[in-house]
Coordinates of all heavy atoms in Angstrom, one line a residue:
M228 N 6.6 8.9 -1.3 CA 5.4 9.5 -0.8 C 4.6 10.1 -2.0 O 5.2 10.5 -3.0 CB 5.7 10.6 0.1 CG 6.3 10.2 1.4 SD 6.4 11.5 2.6 CE 4.7 12.0 2.7
G229 N 3.3 10.1 -1.8 CA 2.5 10.6 -2.9 C 1.2 11.2 -2.3 O 1.1 11.4 -1.1
G230 N 0.4 11.6 -3.2 CA -0.9 12.1 -2.9 C -0.9 13.5 -2.4 O 0.0 14.3 -2.7
G231 N -1.9 13.9 -1.6 CA -2.0 15.3 -1.2 C -0.9 15.7 -0.3 O -0.6 16.9 -0.2
A232 N -0.2 14.8 0.3 CA 1.0 15.2 1.2 C 2.0 16.0 0.4 O 2.6 16.9 0.9 CB 1.6 14.0 1.8
L233 N 2.2 15.6 -0.9 CA 3.2 16.3 -1.7 C 2.8 17.6 -2.1 O 3.6 18.5 -2.5 CB 3.6 15.4 -2.9 CG 4.3 14.1 -2.6 CD1 4.6 13.3 -3.8 CD2 5.6 14.5 -1.9
R234 N 1.5 17.9 -2.1 CA 1.0 19.2 -2.5 C 1.4 20.3 -1.5 O 1.2 21.5 -1.7 CB -0.5 19.2 -2.8 CG -0.8 18.4 -4.0 CD -2.3 18.4 -4.4 NE -2.5 17.4 -5.3 CZ -3.1 16.2 -5.0 NH1 -3.4 15.9 -3.8 NH2 -3.3 15.3 -5.9
T235 N 1.8 19.9 -0.3 CA 2.2 20.8 0.7 C 3.6 21.4 0.5 O 4.0 22.3 1.2 CB 2.1 20.2 2.1 OG1 3.0 19.1 2.2 CG2 0.7 19.7 2.4
G236 N 4.3 20.8 -0.4 CA 5.6 21.3 -0.7 C 6.7 20.4 -0.2 O 6.5 19.4 0.5
S237 N 8.0 20.7 -0.5 CA 9.1 19.9 -0.2 C 9.4 19.9 1.3 O 10.1 19.0 1.8 CB 10.3 20.3 -1.0 OG 10.7 21.7 -0.7
R238 N 9.0 20.9 2.0 CA 9.3 21.0 3.4 C 8.7 19.8 4.2 O 9.3 19.2 5.0 CB 8.8 22.3 4.0 CG 9.1 22.5 5.5 CD 8.8 23.8 6.0 NE 9.1 23.9 7.4 CZ 8.4 24.5 8.3 NH1 7.2 25.1 8.0 NH2 8.7 24.5 9.5
F239 N 7.5 19.4 3.8 CA 6.8 18.3 4.5 C 7.6 17.0 4.2 O 7.8 16.2 5.1 CB 5.4 18.2 4.0 CG 4.6 17.0 4.6 CD1 4.2 17.1 5.9 CD2 4.4 15.9 3.9 CE1 3.5 16.1 6.5 CE2 3.7 14.8 4.5 CZ 3.3 14.9 5.8
L240 N 8.0 16.8 3.0 CA 8.8 15.6 2.6 C 10.1 15.6 3.4 O 10.4 14.5 3.9 CB 9.0 15.6 1.1 CG 9.8 14.4 0.6 CD1 9.0 13.1 0.8 CD2 10.1 14.6 -0.9
K241 N 10.7 16.7 3.6 CA 12.0 16.7 4.4 C 11.8 16.4 5.8 O 12.5 15.7 6.4 CB 12.6 18.1 4.2 CG 13.2 18.3 2.8 CD 13.8 19.7 2.7 CE 14.2 19.9 1.3 NZ 14.7 21.3 1.1
V242 N 10.7 16.9 6.4 CA 10.4 16.6 7.8 C 10.1 15.1 8.0 O 10.6 14.5 8.9 CB 9.2 17.4 8.3 CG1 8.7 17.0 9.6 CG2 9.5 18.9 8.3
V243 N 9.3 14.5 7.1 CA 9.0 13.1 7.1 C 10.2 12.3 7.0 O 10.5 11.3 7.7 CB 7.9 12.7 6.1 CG1 7.8 11.2 6.0 CG2 6.6 13.4 6.4
E244 N 11.1 12.6 6.0 CA 12.3 11.9 5.8 C 13.2 11.9 7.0 O 13.7 10.9 7.4 CB 13.0 12.5 4.6 CG 14.3 11.8 4.3 CD 15.1 12.3 3.1 OE1 14.8 13.5 2.7 OE2 15.9 11.6 2.6
R245 N 13.4 13.1 7.6 CA 14.2 13.3 8.8 C 13.7 12.4 9.9 O 14.4 11.7 10.6 CB 14.3 14.7 9.2 CG 15.3 14.9 10.3 CD 15.4 16.4 10.8 NE 14.2 16.9 11.3 CZ 13.5 17.9 10.8 NH1 13.9 18.5 9.7 NH2 12.3 18.3 11.3
T246 N 12.4 12.4 10.1 CA 11.7 11.7 11.2 C 11.9 10.2 11.0 O 12.3 9.5 12.0 CB 10.2 12.0 11.3 OG1 10.1 13.4 11.5 CG2 9.6 11.3 12.5
I247 N 11.7 9.7 9.8 CA 11.9 8.3 9.5 C 13.3 7.9 9.7 O 13.6 6.8 10.3 CB 11.4 8.0 8.1 CG1 9.8 8.1 8.1 CG2 11.8 6.6 7.7 CD1 9.2 8.0 6.7
M248 N 14.2 8.6 9.2 CA 15.7 8.3 9.3 C 16.1 8.3 10.8 O 16.9 7.4 11.1 CB 16.5 9.3 8.5 CG 16.3 9.1 7.0 SD 16.7 7.4 6.5 CE 16.9 7.7 4.7
E249 N 15.6 9.2 11.6 CA 15.9 9.2 13.0 C 15.4 7.9 13.7 O 16.0 7.5 14.7 CB 15.3 10.4 13.7 CG 16.0 11.7 13.3 CD 15.3 12.9 13.8 OE1 14.2 12.8 14.5 OE2 15.8 14.1 13.6
R250 N 14.3 7.4 13.3 CA 13.7 6.2 13.9 C 14.1 4.9 13.4 O 13.8 3.9 13.9 CB 12.2 6.4 13.9 CG 11.7 7.6 14.7 CD 10.3 7.8 14.6 NE 9.9 9.0 15.3 CZ 8.7 9.3 15.7 NH1 7.7 8.5 15.4 NH2 8.4 10.4 16.3
C251 N 14.8 4.9 12.2 CA 15.2 3.6 11.6 C 16.6 3.2 12.2 O 17.4 4.0 12.7 CB 15.4 3.8 10.1 SG 13.9 3.9 9.2
T252 N 16.8 1.9 12.1 CA 18.1 1.4 12.5 C 19.1 1.8 11.4 O 18.7 2.1 10.2 CB 18.1 -0.1 12.6 OG1 17.8 -0.7 11.3 CG2 17.1 -0.6 13.6
D253 N 20.4 1.8 11.7 CA 21.4 2.1 10.7 C 21.3 1.2 9.5 O 21.5 1.7 8.3 CB 22.8 2.1 11.3 CG 23.0 3.2 12.3 OD1 22.2 4.2 12.3 OD2 23.9 3.1 13.2
L254 N 21.1 0.0 9.7 CA 21.0 -1.0 8.6 C 19.9 -0.6 7.6 O 20.1 -0.7 6.4 CB 20.8 -2.4 9.2 CG 20.7 -3.5 8.1 CD1 22.0 -3.7 7.4 CD2 20.4 -4.9 8.8
V255 N 18.7 -0.3 8.1 CA 17.6 0.1 7.3 C 17.9 1.4 6.6 O 17.7 1.6 5.4 CB 16.3 0.2 8.1 CG1 15.2 0.8 7.3 CG2 15.9 -1.2 8.6
A256 N 18.3 2.4 7.3 CA 18.6 3.8 6.8 C 19.6 3.8 5.7 O 19.5 4.7 4.9 CB 18.9 4.7 8.0
A257 N 20.5 2.9 5.8 CA 21.6 2.9 4.8 C 21.1 2.7 3.3 O 21.7 3.3 2.4 CB 22.6 1.8 5.1
S258 N 20.1 2.0 3.1 CA 19.6 1.8 1.8 C 18.2 2.3 1.5 O 17.6 2.1 0.5 CB 19.6 0.3 1.4 OG 18.8 -0.4 2.3
L259 N 17.7 3.1 2.5 CA 16.3 3.6 2.4 C 16.3 4.9 1.6 O 17.1 5.8 1.9 CB 15.7 3.9 3.8 CG 14.3 4.4 3.9 CD1 13.3 3.4 3.2 CD2 13.9 4.6 5.3
E260 N 15.4 5.0 0.7 CA 15.3 6.3 -0.1 C 13.8 6.7 0.0 O 12.9 6.0 -0.2 CB 15.6 6.0 -1.6 CG 15.4 7.3 -2.4 CD 15.6 7.0 -3.9 OE1 16.0 5.8 -4.3 OE2 15.4 7.9 -4.7
I261 N 13.7 7.9 0.5 CA 12.3 8.5 0.6 C 12.2 9.7 -0.4 O 13.1 10.6 -0.4 CB 12.1 9.1 2.0 CG1 12.2 7.9 3.0 CG2 10.7 9.8 2.1 CD1 12.2 8.3 4.5
R262 N 11.3 9.5 -1.3 CA 11.2 10.5 -2.4 C 9.7 10.7 -2.8 O 8.9 9.9 -2.4 CB 12.0 10.0 -3.6 CG 11.6 8.7 -4.2 CD 12.4 8.3 -5.4 NE 12.0 7.0 -5.9 CZ 10.9 6.7 -6.6 NH1 10.1 7.7 -6.9 NH2 10.7 5.5 -7.0
A263 N 9.5 11.6 -3.7 CA 8.2 11.9 -4.2 C 7.8 10.8 -5.2 O 8.7 10.2 -5.9 CB 8.1 13.2 -4.9
A264 N 6.5 10.4 -5.1 CA 6.0 9.4 -6.0 C 6.2 9.8 -7.5 O 6.1 11.0 -7.8 CB 4.6 9.1 -5.8
S265 N 6.5 8.9 -8.4 CA 6.7 9.2 -9.8 C 5.5 9.0 -10.6 O 5.5 9.2 -11.8 CB 7.9 8.3 -10.3 OG 7.5 7.0 -10.2
L266 N 4.4 8.7 -10.0 CA 3.1 8.4 -10.8 C 2.2 9.7 -10.8 O 1.1 9.6 -11.2 CB 2.4 7.2 -10.2 CG 3.1 5.9 -10.3 CD1 2.4 4.8 -9.6 CD2 3.3 5.5 -11.8
N267 N 2.7 10.8 -10.2 CA 1.8 12.0 -10.1 C 0.5 11.7 -9.5 O 0.5 11.2 -8.4 CB 1.6 12.6 -11.5 CG 3.0 13.0 -12.1 OD1 3.8 13.5 -11.5 ND2 3.1 12.9 -13.4
H268 N -0.6 12.0 -10.1 CA -1.9 11.9 -9.5 C -2.4 10.4 -9.5 O -3.5 10.2 -9.0 CB -2.9 12.8 -10.2 CG -3.1 12.4 -11.6 ND1 -2.2 12.7 -12.6 CD2 -4.2 11.8 -12.2 CE1 -2.7 12.3 -13.8 NE2 -3.9 11.7 -13.5
L269 N -1.7 9.5 -10.1 CA -2.2 8.1 -10.2 C -1.7 7.2 -9.1 O -2.1 6.0 -9.1 CB -1.8 7.6 -11.6 CG -2.4 8.3 -12.8 CD1 -1.8 7.7 -14.1 CD2 -3.9 8.2 -12.8
E270 N -0.9 7.7 -8.2 CA -0.3 6.7 -7.2 C -1.4 6.1 -6.3 O -1.3 5.0 -6.0 CB 0.8 7.4 -6.4 CG 0.4 8.5 -5.5 CD 0.4 9.9 -6.1 OE1 0.8 10.0 -7.2 OE2 -0.2 10.8 -5.5
G271 N -2.4 6.9 -6.0 CA -3.4 6.4 -5.1 C -4.2 5.3 -5.8 O -4.5 4.2 -5.2
V272 N -4.6 5.5 -7.0 CA -5.4 4.5 -7.8 C -4.5 3.3 -8.0 O -5.0 2.2 -7.9 CB -5.8 5.2 -9.1 CG1 -6.5 4.1 -10.0 CG2 -6.8 6.3 -8.9
T273 N -3.3 3.5 -8.4 CA -2.4 2.4 -8.6 C -2.2 1.5 -7.4 O -2.3 0.3 -7.4 CB -1.0 2.8 -9.2 OG1 -1.2 3.6 -10.3 CG2 -0.1 1.7 -9.5
G274 N -2.0 2.2 -6.2 CA -1.8 1.5 -5.0 C -3.1 0.7 -4.6 O -3.0 -0.4 -4.2
A275 N -4.2 1.3 -4.8 CA -5.5 0.6 -4.5 C -5.7 -0.6 -5.4 O -6.1 -1.6 -4.9 CB -6.7 1.6 -4.7
A276 N -5.3 -0.5 -6.7 CA -5.5 -1.6 -7.6 C -4.5 -2.7 -7.2 O -4.9 -3.9 -7.2 CB -5.2 -1.1 -9.0
L277 N -3.3 -2.4 -6.8 CA -2.4 -3.4 -6.4 C -2.8 -4.1 -5.1 O -2.7 -5.4 -5.0 CB -1.0 -2.8 -6.2 CG -0.2 -2.4 -7.4 CD1 1.0 -1.6 -7.1 CD2 0.1 -3.6 -8.3
L278 N -3.4 -3.4 -4.2 CA -3.9 -4.0 -2.9 C -5.1 -4.9 -3.3 O -5.2 -6.0 -2.7 CB -4.3 -2.9 -1.9 CG -3.2 -2.3 -1.2 CD1 -3.7 -1.1 -0.4 CD2 -2.5 -3.2 -0.3
A279 N -6.0 -4.5 -4.1 CA -7.1 -5.3 -4.5 C -6.7 -6.6 -5.2 O -7.2 -7.7 -4.9 CB -8.1 -4.5 -5.4
A280 N -5.8 -6.5 -6.1 CA -5.3 -7.6 -6.8 C -4.6 -8.6 -5.9 O -4.8 -9.8 -5.9 CB -4.3 -7.2 -8.0
E281 N -3.8 -8.1 -5.0 CA -3.1 -8.9 -4.0 C -4.1 -9.7 -3.1 O -3.9 -10.8 -2.8 CB -2.2 -8.0 -3.1 CG -1.4 -8.8 -2.1 CD -0.5 -7.8 -1.3 OE1 0.5 -7.3 -1.9 OE2 -0.8 -7.6 -0.1
S282 N -5.1 -9.0 -2.7 CA -6.1 -9.6 -1.9 C -6.9 -10.6 -2.6 O -7.2 -11.7 -2.1 CB -7.1 -8.5 -1.3 OG -8.1 -9.1 -0.5
L283 N -7.3 -10.3 -3.8 CA -8.2 -11.3 -4.6 C -7.4 -12.5 -5.0 O -8.0 -13.6 -5.1 CB -8.7 -10.6 -5.9 CG -9.8 -9.6 -5.7 CD1 -10.1 -8.9 -7.0 CD2 -11.1 -10.3 -5.2
L284 N -6.1 -12.4 -5.2 CA -5.3 -13.5 -5.7 C -4.6 -14.2 -4.6 O -3.8 -15.2 -4.8 CB -4.3 -13.0 -6.8 CG -5.0 -12.4 -8.0 CD1 -4.0 -11.9 -9.0 CD2 -5.9 -13.4 -8.7
D285 N -4.8 -13.8 -3.4 CA -4.2 -14.5 -2.2 C -4.8 -15.9 -2.1 O -6.0 -16.0 -2.3 CB -4.5 -13.7 -0.9 CG -3.8 -14.3 0.3 OD1 -4.4 -15.2 0.8 OD2 -2.8 -13.8 0.6
P286 N -4.0 -16.9 -1.9 CA -4.5 -18.3 -1.9 C -5.6 -18.4 -0.9 O -6.6 -19.2 -1.1 CB -3.3 -19.1 -1.5 CG -2.1 -18.3 -2.0 CD -2.5 -16.9 -1.8
A287 N -5.6 -17.7 0.2 CA -6.6 -17.8 1.3 C -8.0 -17.3 0.8 O -9.0 -17.8 1.2 CB -6.2 -17.1 2.5
T288 N -8.0 -16.3 -0.1 CA -9.3 -15.8 -0.6 C -9.6 -16.3 -2.0 O -10.8 -16.3 -2.3 CB -9.3 -14.3 -0.6 OG1 -8.2 -13.8 -1.4 CG2 -9.1 -13.7 0.8
L289 N -8.7 -16.7 -2.7 CA -8.9 -17.1 -4.1 C -9.9 -18.3 -4.2 O -10.8 -18.3 -5.0 CB -7.6 -17.5 -4.8 CG -7.6 -17.9 -6.2 CD1 -8.0 -16.7 -7.1 CD2 -6.2 -18.4 -6.7
T290 N -9.7 -19.2 -3.2 CA -10.6 -20.4 -3.2 C -12.0 -20.1 -2.9 O -12.9 -20.9 -3.2 CB -10.0 -21.5 -2.2 OG1 -9.9 -20.8 -0.9 CG2 -8.7 -22.0 -2.7
L291 N -12.2 -18.9 -2.3 CA -13.6 -18.5 -1.9 C -14.4 -18.1 -3.1 O -15.7 -18.3 -3.1 CB -13.6 -17.4 -0.9 CG -13.0 -17.7 0.5 CD1 -13.0 -16.5 1.3 CD2 -13.8 -18.8 1.1
W292 N -13.8 -17.6 -4.2 CA -14.6 -17.1 -5.3 C -14.3 -17.8 -6.7 O -15.1 -17.7 -7.6 CB -14.5 -15.6 -5.5 CG -13.1 -15.1 -5.8 CD1 -12.1 -14.7 -4.9 CD2 -12.5 -15.0 -7.1 NE1 -11.0 -14.3 -5.6 CE2 -11.2 -14.5 -6.9 CE3 -13.0 -15.2 -8.4 CZ2 -10.4 -14.2 -8.0 CZ3 -12.2 -15.0 -9.5 CH2 -10.9 -14.5 -9.3
V293 N -13.2 -18.5 -6.8 CA -12.8 -19.0 -8.1 C -13.8 -20.1 -8.6 O -13.9 -20.3 -9.8 CB -11.3 -19.6 -8.0 CG1 -11.3 -20.9 -7.3 CG2 -10.8 -19.7 -9.4
V294 N -14.4 -20.8 -7.7 CA -15.4 -21.8 -8.1 C -16.5 -21.2 -8.9 O -17.0 -21.8 -9.9 CB -16.0 -22.6 -6.9 CG1 -17.1 -23.5 -7.2 CG2 -14.9 -23.3 -6.1
E295 N -17.0 -20.0 -8.5 CA -18.0 -19.3 -9.3 C -17.5 -18.5 -10.5 O -18.2 -18.0 -11.3 CB -18.8 -18.4 -8.3 CG -19.6 -19.2 -7.3 CD -20.4 -18.3 -6.4 OE1 -20.8 -17.3 -6.8 OE2 -20.5 -18.7 -5.2
G296 N -16.2 -18.4 -10.5 CA -15.5 -17.7 -11.7 C -15.5 -16.2 -11.5 O -15.0 -15.5 -12.4
T297 N -16.0 -15.6 -10.4 CA -15.9 -14.2 -10.2 C -16.0 -13.8 -8.7 O -16.6 -14.5 -8.0 CB -17.1 -13.5 -10.9 OG1 -17.0 -12.1 -10.7 CG2 -18.4 -14.0 -10.5
P298 N -15.3 -12.8 -8.4 CA -15.3 -12.3 -7.0 C -16.5 -11.4 -6.7 O -16.8 -11.1 -5.5 CB -14.0 -11.5 -6.8 CG -13.7 -11.0 -8.1 CD -14.2 -12.1 -9.1
L299 N -17.3 -11.0 -7.7 CA -18.4 -10.2 -7.6 C -19.5 -10.8 -6.6 O -19.8 -12.0 -6.8 CB -19.1 -9.9 -8.9 CG -18.2 -9.1 -9.9 CD1 -19.0 -8.9 -11.2 CD2 -17.8 -7.7 -9.3
G300 N -19.9 -10.0 -5.7 CA -20.9 -10.5 -4.8 C -20.3 -11.2 -3.5 O -21.0 -11.6 -2.6
H301 N -19.0 -11.2 -3.4 CA -18.3 -11.8 -2.3 C -17.5 -10.9 -1.5 O -16.6 -11.3 -0.7 CB -17.4 -13.0 -2.8 CG -18.1 -14.1 -3.5 ND1 -18.9 -15.0 -2.9 CD2 -18.2 -14.3 -4.9 CE1 -19.4 -15.8 -3.8 NE2 -19.0 -15.4 -5.0
A302 N -17.6 -9.6 -1.7 CA -16.7 -8.6 -1.1 C -16.7 -8.7 0.4 O -15.6 -8.7 1.0 CB -17.2 -7.2 -1.5
A303 N -17.8 -8.8 1.1 CA -17.8 -8.8 2.5 C -17.1 -10.1 3.1 O -16.3 -10.0 4.0 CB -19.2 -8.7 3.0
V304 N -17.4 -11.2 2.5 CA -16.7 -12.4 2.9 C -15.2 -12.4 2.6 O -14.4 -12.8 3.5 CB -17.4 -13.6 2.1 CG1 -16.6 -14.9 2.5 CG2 -18.8 -13.8 2.5
L305 N -14.8 -11.9 1.5 CA -13.4 -11.8 1.1 C -12.7 -10.9 2.1 O -11.6 -11.2 2.5 CB -13.2 -11.3 -0.3 CG -13.7 -12.3 -1.4 CD1 -13.6 -11.7 -2.8 CD2 -12.8 -13.6 -1.4
Q306 N -13.3 -9.7 2.4 CA -12.7 -8.8 3.4 C -12.5 -9.4 4.8 O -11.5 -9.3 5.4 CB -13.5 -7.5 3.5 CG -13.3 -6.6 2.3 CD -14.2 -5.4 2.4 OE1 -15.2 -5.4 3.0 NE2 -13.8 -4.3 1.7
R307 N -13.5 -10.1 5.2 CA -13.4 -10.7 6.5 C -12.4 -11.8 6.5 O -11.6 -12.0 7.5 CB -14.8 -11.3 7.0 CG -15.8 -10.3 7.5 CD -16.9 -11.0 8.2 NE -17.6 -12.0 7.4 CZ -18.6 -11.7 6.5 NH1 -19.1 -10.5 6.4 NH2 -19.2 -12.7 5.9
H308 N -12.4 -12.6 5.5 CA -11.4 -13.7 5.4 C -10.0 -13.2 5.3 O -9.1 -13.7 5.9 CB -11.7 -14.6 4.2 CG -11.1 -15.9 4.2 ND1 -11.5 -16.9 5.1 CD2 -10.1 -16.5 3.5 CE1 -10.7 -18.0 4.9 NE2 -9.9 -17.7 3.9
A309 N -9.8 -12.2 4.4 CA -8.4 -11.6 4.3 C -7.9 -11.0 5.6 O -6.8 -11.1 6.0 CB -8.4 -10.6 3.2
A310 N -8.8 -10.3 6.3 CA -8.5 -9.7 7.6 C -8.1 -10.7 8.6 O -7.2 -10.5 9.5 CB -9.6 -8.8 8.1
A311 N -8.7 -11.9 8.6 CA -8.3 -12.9 9.5 C -6.9 -13.4 9.4 O -6.3 -13.9 10.3 CB -9.3 -14.1 9.4
F312 N -6.4 -13.3 8.2 CA -5.0 -13.8 7.9 C -3.9 -12.7 8.0 O -2.8 -13.0 7.8 CB -4.9 -14.5 6.5 CG -5.7 -15.8 6.5 CD1 -7.0 -15.9 6.1 CD2 -5.0 -16.9 6.9 CE1 -7.6 -17.1 6.1 CE2 -5.7 -18.2 6.9 CZ -7.0 -18.2 6.5
N313 N -4.3 -11.5 8.2 CA -3.3 -10.4 8.3 C -3.0 -10.0 9.7 O -3.4 -10.4 10.7 CB -3.9 -9.1 7.6 CG -3.9 -9.4 6.1 OD1 -3.1 -10.1 5.6 ND2 -4.8 -8.7 5.5

């Protein structure tokens, strides 16, 4: 977990962990670790960058912009196309 949720203190993290563990199957809970993010204040930016890269390089959207050599100017089309496959 990261972001502003962690600024509320460890109590929030414990409540979230307990709730998730109660709702998971034993198989999932056995290897699940819920902890504070290790990227401090950068986890949100890093997550956004990873999502953007994943979307841009997805085969379904890559072919929409690679011909022109840039995804610039294609944001709306790429978002609609990516949403159709999710």
Side-chain angles (χ1 to χ4, degrees):
M228 288 190 60
L233 291 179
R234 292 186 194 98
T235 62
S237 62
R238 183 171 179 223
F239 180 76
L240 182 62
K241 289 177 184 176
V242 169
V243 170
E244 180 180 20
R245 185 179 66 242
T246 302
I247 290 172
M248 291 302 196
E249 288 172 357
R250 295 178 183 195
C251 285
T252 64
D253 291 339
L254 182 62
V255 171
S258 61
L259 182 62
E260 178 184 358
I261 299 171
R262 60 178 176 77
S265 58
L266 297 173
N267 297 325
H268 65 284
L269 297 176
E270 68 271 351
V272 173
T273 303
L277 289 170
L278 284 172
E281 183 179 287
S282 178
L283 284 174
L284 301 176
D285 184 277
T288 57
L289 185 65
T290 57
L291 295 176
W292 65 265
V293 77
V294 172
E295 294 181 31
T297 180
L299 296 177
H301 299 285
V304 174
L305 291 172
Q306 285 178 334
R307 281 194 306 273
H308 198 70
F312 288 94
N313 290 329

